[in-house]
């Protein structure tokens, strides 16, 4: 099983980025997919998750980020807009069987992709 996250980069505050997560060895539609992020010196925090019928977001990103997935391509996506300085972090995609925002409950993780927001 492998999750490959991509799409990170550097962007100015107010800009947009779209992260992708390609899965191999598992079928995304059978799992809850999540995005988490970790800034230097901070714990990994929940950003967004999607199950079979609903999506959930951290308060800090609600209204700015959108999680989705393309079952046909077996990929997940996190669209980020109106980015803020505090959104800078390494972003991780994850897949698990529990519908939860708790990172340790996810079984599979991507390698992380860096997002840097500058003023």
């Amino acid at each position: 099983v492998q999750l490959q996250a991509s799409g990170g980069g550097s962007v100015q505050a107010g800009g947009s980025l779209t992260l992708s997560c390609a899965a191999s060895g598992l079928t995304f539609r059978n799992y809850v997919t999540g995005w988490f992020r970790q800034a230097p010196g901070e714990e990994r925090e929940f950003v967004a998750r999607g199950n079979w019928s609903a999506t959930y977001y951290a308060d800090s990103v609600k209204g700015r980020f959108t999680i989705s997935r393309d079952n046909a391509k077996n990929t997940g996506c996190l669209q980020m807009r109106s980015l803020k300085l505090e959104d800078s972090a390494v972003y991780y995609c994850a897949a698990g069987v529990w519908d939860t925002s708790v990172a340790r409950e996810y079984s599979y993780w991507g390698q992380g992709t860096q997002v840097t927001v500058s003023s």
Side-chain angles (χ1 to χ4, degrees):
V1 174
Q2 187 175 17
L3 300 182
Q4 182 76 31
S6 62
S10 297
V11 64
Q12 288 192 320
S16 301
L17 277 176
T18 297
L19 306 182
S20 296
C21 181
S24 59
L26 64 80
T27 302
F28 247 173
R29 66 173 179 270
N30 295 334
Y31 291 84
V32 175
T33 56
W35 287 90
F36 294 79
R37 66 187 181 188
Q38 188 167 18
E42 303 289 332
E43 292 188 356
R44 191 167 299 189
E45 66 171 356
F46 166 75
V47 175
R49 77 178 193 271
N51 63 25
W52 300 269
S53 60
T55 55
Y56 303 89
Y57 299 91
D59 288 343
S60 59
V61 307
K62 199 172 295 183
R64 300 187 297 121
F65 290 13
T66 303
I67 187 173
S68 63
R69 58 185 173 187
D70 186 330
N71 290 331
K73 296 181 179 179
N74 212 31
T75 59
C77 181
L78 183 70
Q79 296 176 289
M80 307 184 295
R81 57 183 178 83
S82 301
L83 283 161
K84 304 177 181 180
L85 297 180
E86 54 264 40
D87 293 321
S88 294
V90 177
Y91 283 70
Y92 299 89
C93 61
V97 298
W98 301 108
D99 190 9
T100 177
S101 300
V102 178
R104 66 176 180 271
E105 299 293 341
Y106 284 77
S107 302
Y108 306 106
W109 289 85
Q111 84 287 3
T113 184
Q114 177 71 48
V115 172
T116 303
V117 184
S118 59
S119 58

mmCIF file of all heavy atoms in Angstrom, residues 53-85:
data_model
loop_
_atom_site.group_PDB
_atom_site.id
_atom_site.type_symbol
_atom_site.label_atom_id
_atom_site.label_comp_id
_atom_site.label_asym_id
_atom_site.label_seq_id
_atom_site.Cartn_x
_atom_site.Cartn_y
_atom_site.Cartn_z
ATOM 1 N N SER A 53 -20.065 9.777 2.502
ATOM 2 C CA SER A 53 -21.198 10.657 2.246
ATOM 3 C C SER A 53 -21.014 12.076 2.764
ATOM 4 O O SER A 53 -21.858 12.920 2.508
ATOM 5 C CB SER A 53 -22.458 10.063 2.894
ATOM 6 O OG SER A 53 -22.263 9.937 4.287
ATOM 7 N N ALA A 54 -19.938 12.340 3.475
ATOM 8 C CA ALA A 54 -19.806 13.653 4.092
ATOM 9 C C ALA A 54 -18.341 14.062 4.183
ATOM 10 O O ALA A 54 -17.439 13.234 4.055
ATOM 11 C CB ALA A 54 -20.430 13.645 5.485
ATOM 12 N N THR A 55 -18.139 15.343 4.387
ATOM 13 C CA THR A 55 -16.800 15.880 4.598
ATOM 14 C C THR A 55 -16.783 16.699 5.879
ATOM 15 O O THR A 55 -17.812 17.258 6.284
ATOM 16 C CB THR A 55 -16.368 16.772 3.414
ATOM 17 O OG1 THR A 55 -17.346 17.799 3.220
ATOM 18 C CG2 THR A 55 -16.231 15.961 2.131
ATOM 19 N N TYR A 56 -15.625 16.742 6.492
ATOM 20 C CA TYR A 56 -15.462 17.443 7.748
ATOM 21 C C TYR A 56 -14.169 18.236 7.708
ATOM 22 O O TYR A 56 -13.184 17.794 7.106
ATOM 23 C CB TYR A 56 -15.420 16.449 8.913
ATOM 24 C CG TYR A 56 -16.647 15.558 8.988
ATOM 25 C CD1 TYR A 56 -16.696 14.350 8.304
ATOM 26 C CD2 TYR A 56 -17.754 15.941 9.733
ATOM 27 C CE1 TYR A 56 -17.805 13.551 8.351
ATOM 28 C CE2 TYR A 56 -18.883 15.142 9.801
ATOM 29 C CZ TYR A 56 -18.906 13.942 9.104
ATOM 30 O OH TYR A 56 -20.017 13.155 9.152
ATOM 31 N N TYR A 57 -14.173 19.377 8.368
ATOM 32 C CA TYR A 57 -13.019 20.258 8.313
ATOM 33 C C TYR A 57 -12.672 20.795 9.698
ATOM 34 O O TYR A 57 -13.553 20.999 10.543
ATOM 35 C CB TYR A 57 -13.305 21.444 7.387
ATOM 36 C CG TYR A 57 -13.588 21.036 5.967
ATOM 37 C CD1 TYR A 57 -14.883 20.786 5.530
ATOM 38 C CD2 TYR A 57 -12.550 20.887 5.055
ATOM 39 C CE1 TYR A 57 -15.141 20.389 4.230
ATOM 40 C CE2 TYR A 57 -12.791 20.490 3.753
ATOM 41 C CZ TYR A 57 -14.093 20.244 3.352
ATOM 42 O OH TYR A 57 -14.345 19.852 2.056
ATOM 43 N N ALA A 58 -11.401 21.053 9.882
ATOM 44 C CA ALA A 58 -10.988 21.788 11.068
ATOM 45 C C ALA A 58 -11.535 23.204 10.964
ATOM 46 O O ALA A 58 -11.668 23.753 9.864
ATOM 47 C CB ALA A 58 -9.465 21.816 11.157
ATOM 48 N N ASP A 59 -11.858 23.788 12.090
ATOM 49 C CA ASP A 59 -12.410 25.144 12.086
ATOM 50 C C ASP A 59 -11.481 26.134 11.397
ATOM 51 O O ASP A 59 -11.931 27.076 10.755
ATOM 52 C CB ASP A 59 -12.678 25.599 13.519
ATOM 53 C CG ASP A 59 -13.866 24.888 14.141
ATOM 54 O OD1 ASP A 59 -14.675 24.292 13.395
ATOM 55 O OD2 ASP A 59 -13.993 24.916 15.377
ATOM 56 N N SER A 60 -10.192 25.902 11.519
ATOM 57 C CA SER A 60 -9.217 26.838 10.977
ATOM 58 C C SER A 60 -9.205 26.878 9.451
ATOM 59 O O SER A 60 -8.689 27.841 8.865
ATOM 60 C CB SER A 60 -7.819 26.493 11.488
ATOM 61 O OG SER A 60 -7.455 25.178 11.116
ATOM 62 N N VAL A 61 -9.748 25.858 8.809
ATOM 63 C CA VAL A 61 -9.719 25.816 7.337
ATOM 64 C C VAL A 61 -11.115 25.799 6.729
ATOM 65 O O VAL A 61 -11.247 25.863 5.497
ATOM 66 C CB VAL A 61 -8.922 24.587 6.829
ATOM 67 C CG1 VAL A 61 -7.537 24.539 7.466
ATOM 68 C CG2 VAL A 61 -9.663 23.288 7.063
ATOM 69 N N LYS A 62 -12.118 25.716 7.565
ATOM 70 C CA LYS A 62 -13.481 25.624 7.053
ATOM 71 C C LYS A 62 -13.806 26.833 6.177
ATOM 72 O O LYS A 62 -13.523 27.977 6.534
ATOM 73 C CB LYS A 62 -14.438 25.535 8.240
ATOM 74 C CG LYS A 62 -15.814 24.990 7.909
ATOM 75 C CD LYS A 62 -16.607 24.756 9.187
ATOM 76 C CE LYS A 62 -16.005 23.682 10.056
ATOM 77 N NZ LYS A 62 -16.799 23.398 11.266
ATOM 78 N N GLY A 63 -14.373 26.552 5.028
ATOM 79 C CA GLY A 63 -14.711 27.616 4.087
ATOM 80 C C GLY A 63 -13.593 27.979 3.134
ATOM 81 O O GLY A 63 -13.817 28.702 2.155
ATOM 82 N N ARG A 64 -12.397 27.494 3.403
ATOM 83 C CA ARG A 64 -11.248 27.800 2.540
ATOM 84 C C ARG A 64 -10.705 26.552 1.840
ATOM 85 O O ARG A 64 -10.172 26.638 0.736
ATOM 86 C CB ARG A 64 -10.123 28.443 3.351
ATOM 87 C CG ARG A 64 -10.513 29.736 4.030
ATOM 88 C CD ARG A 64 -9.299 30.406 4.674
ATOM 89 N NE ARG A 64 -8.708 29.597 5.730
ATOM 90 C CZ ARG A 64 -7.452 29.170 5.727
ATOM 91 N NH1 ARG A 64 -6.648 29.456 4.712
ATOM 92 N NH2 ARG A 64 -6.991 28.443 6.744
ATOM 93 N N PHE A 65 -10.814 25.407 2.508
ATOM 94 C CA PHE A 65 -10.282 24.153 1.966
ATOM 95 C C PHE A 65 -11.439 23.253 1.564
ATOM 96 O O PHE A 65 -12.502 23.264 2.188
ATOM 97 C CB PHE A 65 -9.438 23.419 3.004
ATOM 98 C CG PHE A 65 -8.119 24.070 3.334
ATOM 99 C CD1 PHE A 65 -7.820 25.373 2.943
ATOM 100 C CD2 PHE A 65 -7.156 23.364 4.042
ATOM 101 C CE1 PHE A 65 -6.609 25.953 3.252
ATOM 102 C CE2 PHE A 65 -5.930 23.933 4.357
ATOM 103 C CZ PHE A 65 -5.666 25.236 3.964
ATOM 104 N N THR A 66 -11.195 22.442 0.540
ATOM 105 C CA THR A 66 -12.190 21.474 0.090
ATOM 106 C C THR A 66 -11.513 20.137 -0.167
ATOM 107 O O THR A 66 -10.551 20.063 -0.937
ATOM 108 C CB THR A 66 -12.879 21.944 -1.194
ATOM 109 O OG1 THR A 66 -13.483 23.222 -0.978
ATOM 110 C CG2 THR A 66 -13.953 20.949 -1.621
ATOM 111 N N ILE A 67 -12.022 19.106 0.487
ATOM 112 C CA ILE A 67 -11.506 17.755 0.279
ATOM 113 C C ILE A 67 -12.399 17.028 -0.705
ATOM 114 O O ILE A 67 -13.621 17.185 -0.685
ATOM 115 C CB ILE A 67 -11.407 16.981 1.615
ATOM 116 C CG1 ILE A 67 -10.714 15.624 1.417
ATOM 117 C CG2 ILE A 67 -12.773 16.812 2.255
ATOM 118 C CD1 ILE A 67 -10.435 14.880 2.723
ATOM 119 N N SER A 68 -11.793 16.270 -1.570
ATOM 120 C CA SER A 68 -12.577 15.487 -2.528
ATOM 121 C C SER A 68 -11.762 14.271 -2.940
ATOM 122 O O SER A 68 -10.583 14.146 -2.580
ATOM 123 C CB SER A 68 -12.931 16.330 -3.755
ATOM 124 O OG SER A 68 -11.755 16.730 -4.438
ATOM 125 N N ARG A 69 -12.372 13.393 -3.681
ATOM 126 C CA ARG A 69 -11.630 12.269 -4.235
ATOM 127 C C ARG A 69 -12.258 11.825 -5.541
ATOM 128 O O ARG A 69 -13.446 12.019 -5.765
ATOM 129 C CB ARG A 69 -11.543 11.106 -3.253
ATOM 130 C CG ARG A 69 -12.861 10.539 -2.774
ATOM 131 C CD ARG A 69 -12.582 9.488 -1.713
ATOM 132 N NE ARG A 69 -13.776 9.000 -1.074
ATOM 133 C CZ ARG A 69 -13.762 8.186 -0.029
ATOM 134 N NH1 ARG A 69 -12.607 7.790 0.492
ATOM 135 N NH2 ARG A 69 -14.883 7.772 0.513
ATOM 136 N N ASP A 70 -11.431 11.270 -6.372
ATOM 137 C CA ASP A 70 -11.858 10.747 -7.663
ATOM 138 C C ASP A 70 -11.710 9.228 -7.585
ATOM 139 O O ASP A 70 -10.607 8.700 -7.698
ATOM 140 C CB ASP A 70 -10.990 11.344 -8.772
ATOM 141 C CG ASP A 70 -11.455 10.959 -10.165
ATOM 142 O OD1 ASP A 70 -12.034 9.858 -10.313
ATOM 143 O OD2 ASP A 70 -11.216 11.726 -11.093
ATOM 144 N N ASN A 71 -12.814 8.557 -7.375
ATOM 145 C CA ASN A 71 -12.756 7.106 -7.205
ATOM 146 C C ASN A 71 -12.263 6.408 -8.471
ATOM 147 O O ASN A 71 -11.579 5.382 -8.384
ATOM 148 C CB ASN A 71 -14.126 6.567 -6.811
ATOM 149 C CG ASN A 71 -14.516 6.972 -5.405
ATOM 150 O OD1 ASN A 71 -13.655 7.166 -4.548
ATOM 151 N ND2 ASN A 71 -15.803 7.111 -5.162
ATOM 152 N N ALA A 72 -12.578 6.955 -9.603
ATOM 153 C CA ALA A 72 -12.150 6.332 -10.855
ATOM 154 C C ALA A 72 -10.627 6.365 -10.998
ATOM 155 O O ALA A 72 -10.015 5.435 -11.517
ATOM 156 C CB ALA A 72 -12.805 7.031 -12.036
ATOM 157 N N LYS A 73 -10.019 7.447 -10.507
ATOM 158 C CA LYS A 73 -8.561 7.585 -10.592
ATOM 159 C C LYS A 73 -7.864 7.130 -9.318
ATOM 160 O O LYS A 73 -6.640 7.121 -9.244
ATOM 161 C CB LYS A 73 -8.194 9.034 -10.894
ATOM 162 C CG LYS A 73 -8.675 9.532 -12.250
ATOM 163 C CD LYS A 73 -8.247 10.966 -12.489
ATOM 164 C CE LYS A 73 -8.704 11.458 -13.853
ATOM 165 N NZ LYS A 73 -8.312 12.877 -14.105
ATOM 166 N N ASN A 74 -8.669 6.788 -8.307
ATOM 167 C CA ASN A 74 -8.116 6.363 -7.020
ATOM 168 C C ASN A 74 -7.190 7.421 -6.429
ATOM 169 O O ASN A 74 -6.090 7.125 -5.939
ATOM 170 C CB ASN A 74 -7.374 5.031 -7.165
ATOM 171 C CG ASN A 74 -7.458 4.177 -5.916
ATOM 172 O OD1 ASN A 74 -8.444 4.228 -5.176
ATOM 173 N ND2 ASN A 74 -6.430 3.387 -5.684
ATOM 174 N N THR A 75 -7.634 8.655 -6.492
ATOM 175 C CA THR A 75 -6.853 9.760 -5.958
ATOM 176 C C THR A 75 -7.713 10.623 -5.040
ATOM 177 O O THR A 75 -8.932 10.674 -5.181
ATOM 178 C CB THR A 75 -6.291 10.643 -7.076
ATOM 179 O OG1 THR A 75 -7.376 11.147 -7.855
ATOM 180 C CG2 THR A 75 -5.342 9.878 -7.982
ATOM 181 N N GLY A 76 -7.035 11.280 -4.120
ATOM 182 C CA GLY A 76 -7.684 12.243 -3.254
ATOM 183 C C GLY A 76 -7.129 13.628 -3.545
ATOM 184 O O GLY A 76 -6.064 13.777 -4.140
ATOM 185 N N CYS A 77 -7.847 14.645 -3.098
ATOM 186 C CA CYS A 77 -7.476 16.005 -3.433
ATOM 187 C C CYS A 77 -7.837 16.937 -2.284
ATOM 188 O O CYS A 77 -8.846 16.729 -1.601
ATOM 189 C CB CYS A 77 -8.224 16.402 -4.709
ATOM 190 S SG CYS A 77 -7.885 18.056 -5.299
ATOM 191 N N LEU A 78 -6.996 17.914 -2.058
ATOM 192 C CA LEU A 78 -7.294 18.962 -1.086
ATOM 193 C C LEU A 78 -7.062 20.293 -1.777
ATOM 194 O O LEU A 78 -5.927 20.656 -2.072
ATOM 195 C CB LEU A 78 -6.410 18.849 0.156
ATOM 196 C CG LEU A 78 -6.714 19.865 1.255
ATOM 197 C CD1 LEU A 78 -8.068 19.552 1.904
ATOM 198 C CD2 LEU A 78 -5.626 19.882 2.315
ATOM 199 N N GLN A 79 -8.145 20.982 -2.045
ATOM 200 C CA GLN A 79 -8.051 22.302 -2.658
ATOM 201 C C GLN A 79 -7.971 23.337 -1.544
ATOM 202 O O GLN A 79 -8.826 23.365 -0.659
ATOM 203 C CB GLN A 79 -9.275 22.558 -3.540
ATOM 204 C CG GLN A 79 -9.370 21.615 -4.733
ATOM 205 C CD GLN A 79 -10.650 21.848 -5.522
ATOM 206 O OE1 GLN A 79 -11.755 21.532 -5.066
ATOM 207 N NE2 GLN A 79 -10.512 22.400 -6.693
ATOM 208 N N MET A 80 -6.958 24.171 -1.625
ATOM 209 C CA MET A 80 -6.733 25.165 -0.581
ATOM 210 C C MET A 80 -6.742 26.553 -1.213
ATOM 211 O O MET A 80 -6.031 26.792 -2.197
ATOM 212 C CB MET A 80 -5.386 24.913 0.100
ATOM 213 C CG MET A 80 -5.216 23.486 0.615
ATOM 214 S SD MET A 80 -3.669 23.244 1.514
ATOM 215 C CE MET A 80 -2.490 23.510 0.202
ATOM 216 N N ARG A 81 -7.531 27.436 -0.679
ATOM 217 C CA ARG A 81 -7.569 28.793 -1.188
ATOM 218 C C ARG A 81 -7.512 29.766 -0.019
ATOM 219 O O ARG A 81 -7.652 29.369 1.136
ATOM 220 C CB ARG A 81 -8.822 29.028 -2.030
ATOM 221 C CG ARG A 81 -10.120 28.770 -1.333
ATOM 222 C CD ARG A 81 -11.306 28.960 -2.278
ATOM 223 N NE ARG A 81 -12.571 28.674 -1.647
ATOM 224 C CZ ARG A 81 -13.249 29.537 -0.900
ATOM 225 N NH1 ARG A 81 -12.761 30.750 -0.693
ATOM 226 N NH2 ARG A 81 -14.401 29.186 -0.352
ATOM 227 N N SER A 82 -7.322 31.025 -0.340
ATOM 228 C CA SER A 82 -7.191 32.066 0.686
ATOM 229 C C SER A 82 -6.183 31.639 1.741
ATOM 230 O O SER A 82 -6.432 31.735 2.946
ATOM 231 C CB SER A 82 -8.549 32.353 1.327
ATOM 232 O OG SER A 82 -9.483 32.778 0.360
ATOM 233 N N LEU A 83 -5.049 31.155 1.274
ATOM 234 C CA LEU A 83 -4.050 30.622 2.193
ATOM 235 C C LEU A 83 -3.495 31.698 3.105
ATOM 236 O O LEU A 83 -3.300 32.856 2.694
ATOM 237 C CB LEU A 83 -2.939 29.941 1.405
ATOM 238 C CG LEU A 83 -3.317 28.551 0.860
ATOM 239 C CD1 LEU A 83 -2.390 28.136 -0.262
ATOM 240 C CD2 LEU A 83 -3.304 27.524 1.977
ATOM 241 N N LYS A 84 -3.222 31.293 4.332
ATOM 242 C CA LYS A 84 -2.696 32.185 5.348
ATOM 243 C C LYS A 84 -1.300 31.718 5.759
ATOM 244 O O LYS A 84 -0.928 30.568 5.542
ATOM 245 C CB LYS A 84 -3.613 32.182 6.560
ATOM 246 C CG LYS A 84 -5.057 32.553 6.266
ATOM 247 C CD LYS A 84 -5.915 32.442 7.519
ATOM 248 C CE LYS A 84 -7.367 32.797 7.235
ATOM 249 N NZ LYS A 84 -8.206 32.698 8.444
ATOM 250 N N LEU A 85 -0.568 32.628 6.385
ATOM 251 C CA LEU A 85 0.778 32.277 6.847
ATOM 252 C C LEU A 85 0.740 31.043 7.748
ATOM 253 O O LEU A 85 1.627 30.179 7.670
ATOM 254 C CB LEU A 85 1.396 33.454 7.590
ATOM 255 C CG LEU A 85 1.619 34.734 6.793
ATOM 256 C CD1 LEU A 85 2.249 35.801 7.702
ATOM 257 C CD2 LEU A 85 2.490 34.479 5.589
#
